[in-house]
Amino acid sequence: MTFARPDHICDLDTLPRMPAWVTSARAETPEDVAFLSGAALNHLHVVLGQSNVPQALLRDRLALQAAVACVGFSVRPERAGELRDAVHLLRPGDLPGPAGETCLTWRRAVERPVSIKALGRALPAFEPGQIAAWLDAGKGLPVTRAVMVLEAVLREVPRADVAGLILADAALAQALGWDHVVPLLAAALKLAALRKQGDDLRLACHRALISSAIEAVRQAADLARRAAHLKAVAPKLRAKGAGDAVEMFLTRDSVAPSALPLPDRAARRLCDRLVDLGAVRELTGRDTFRLYGV
């Protein structure tokens, strides 16, 4: 698959939308589904090449959505807000619980460039040699490669859905020349699809990638606009450490005031100021233990 060069797209006004013939098409045959998934991935590749898209923030938000989907596989009730709490409101010595651990696993998987070492950090239950062997199982075109990795993991460890999906996304990223894992498969695959094999699993993954690539492009455009606004209002912030705080908001799905490089009261005032400026949102709806994000 040959990807279009993104060099001609450089600002928000020209950040391209997914073509309507991709978003509205009803593909019936496996060939049509594969064609549309390739087109959707190609378009996402172009969008991810733009400097105005906050890449780390997008990956972190997609990681949260992947974690929500994976937690849902176990019929657990946690949604995005609860997973944010599980990660950000931990006290020293506390354990995040199964749902929180799933969220942390996905976040670790997208933080660093794809490598066996980085994947081993995200998946410490598996030896680096095993992770490398699974990735080596993927051959051929990008989606086929990802599917083969997913099959290899689930064949050896049948309930390792999170590891399988992370490594499948890693294989896809490597095949497409992306530096980091971009969570795509988990959010759009049903649990029943993960129990399929061969052509049936490949078809399910192609369908999932159409849906998830469309959503990733939409989120990239939305976050690019929000990030541009945050950068525009940043000079109005006078608090010492405000620049570092802004950088945290530009790279993380959500931030607790206590995590900002400011004293507690100053951090809360900064968050309130950013909300007043329309640059960040309060995500919890609570009066205490609040979380904020772009």
Side-chain angles (χ1 to χ4, degrees), residues 197-277:
Q197 295 180 339
D199 291 342
D200 291 337
L201 178 59
R202 185 176 298 107
L203 181 61
C205 287
H206 275 301
R207 291 190 184 279
L209 288 168
I210 296 170
S211 174
S212 58
I214 290 171
E215 175 61 14
V217 167
R218 185 197 67 76
Q219 290 199 43
D222 180 59
L223 291 176
R225 287 190 293 270
R226 293 178 182 276
H229 181 54
L230 176 55
K231 291 176 182 178
V233 305
K236 299 180 181 180
L237 306 173
R238 301 186 181 279
K240 185 177 181 180
D244 291 336
V246 167
E247 185 60 27
M248 290 179 69
F249 283 113
L250 289 171
T251 56
R252 302 185 187 185
D253 162 74
S254 53
V255 179
S258 60
L260 296 176
L262 291 88
D264 287 347
R265 184 174 296 179
R268 291 194 297 271
R269 284 201 301 266
L270 176 67
C271 290
D272 290 341
R273 175 67 170 149
L274 287 171
V275 170
D276 290 341
L277 291 170

Side-chain angles (χ1 to χ4, degrees), residues 59-279:
R59 292 194 305 270
D60 201 37
R61 189 147 294 175
L62 292 175
L64 175 66
Q65 294 168 357
V68 169
C70 288
V71 168
F73 292 161
S74 60
V75 200
R76 298 184 64 88
E78 289 90 346
R79 309 311 296 168
E82 292 161 309
L83 291 185
R84 286 182 176 126
D85 285 353
V87 169
H88 292 289
L89 303 184
L90 283 177
R91 295 178 180 178
D94 285 351
L95 296 176
E101 188 59 44
T102 296
C103 189
L104 287 171
T105 296
W106 274 104
R107 293 187 69 201
R108 293 184 190 114
V110 304
E111 283 176 346
R112 301 181 182 186
V114 180
S115 68
I116 301 301
K117 182 177 180 180
L119 292 169
R121 176 176 174 268
L123 301 168
F126 302 102
E127 294 293 330
Q130 180 64 81
I131 291 173
W134 281 331
L135 286 177
D136 286 344
K139 308 294 181 184
L141 295 175
V143 179
T144 298
R145 184 171 168 179
V147 172
M148 292 175 70
V149 170
L150 180 57
E151 279 189 307
V153 175
L154 296 181
R155 185 166 52 246
E156 293 191 38
V157 190
R159 300 303 175 189
D161 298 329
V162 173
L165 289 163
I166 286 174
L167 293 178
D169 277 331
L172 186 67
Q174 289 180 323
L176 298 178
W178 298 346
D179 292 335
H180 291 75
V181 171
V182 179
L184 293 175
L185 284 167
L189 274 178
K190 303 297 184 183
L191 180 59
L194 293 176
R195 306 301 171 239
K196 296 180 179 179
Q197 295 180 339
D199 291 342
D200 291 337
L201 178 59
R202 185 176 298 107
L203 181 61
C205 287
H206 275 301
R207 291 190 184 279
L209 288 168
I210 296 170
S211 174
S212 58
I214 290 171
E215 175 61 14
V217 167
R218 185 197 67 76
Q219 290 199 43
D222 180 59
L223 291 176
R225 287 190 293 270
R226 293 178 182 276
H229 181 54
L230 176 55
K231 291 176 182 178
V233 305
K236 299 180 181 180
L237 306 173
R238 301 186 181 279
K240 185 177 181 180
D244 291 336
V246 167
E247 185 60 27
M248 290 179 69
F249 283 113
L250 289 171
T251 56
R252 302 185 187 185
D253 162 74
S254 53
V255 179
S258 60
L260 296 176
L262 291 88
D264 287 347
R265 184 174 296 179
R268 291 194 297 271
R269 284 201 301 266
L270 176 67
C271 290
D272 290 341
R273 175 67 170 149
L274 287 171
V275 170
D276 290 341
L277 291 170

Side-chain angles (χ1 to χ4, degrees), residues 16-27 35-36 39-40 43 210 214 217:
R17 295 182 179 181
M18 188 73 72
W21 59 267
V22 175
T23 60
S24 61
R26 292 187 176 182
F35 175 78
L36 286 177
H43 193 86
I210 296 170
I214 290 171
V217 167

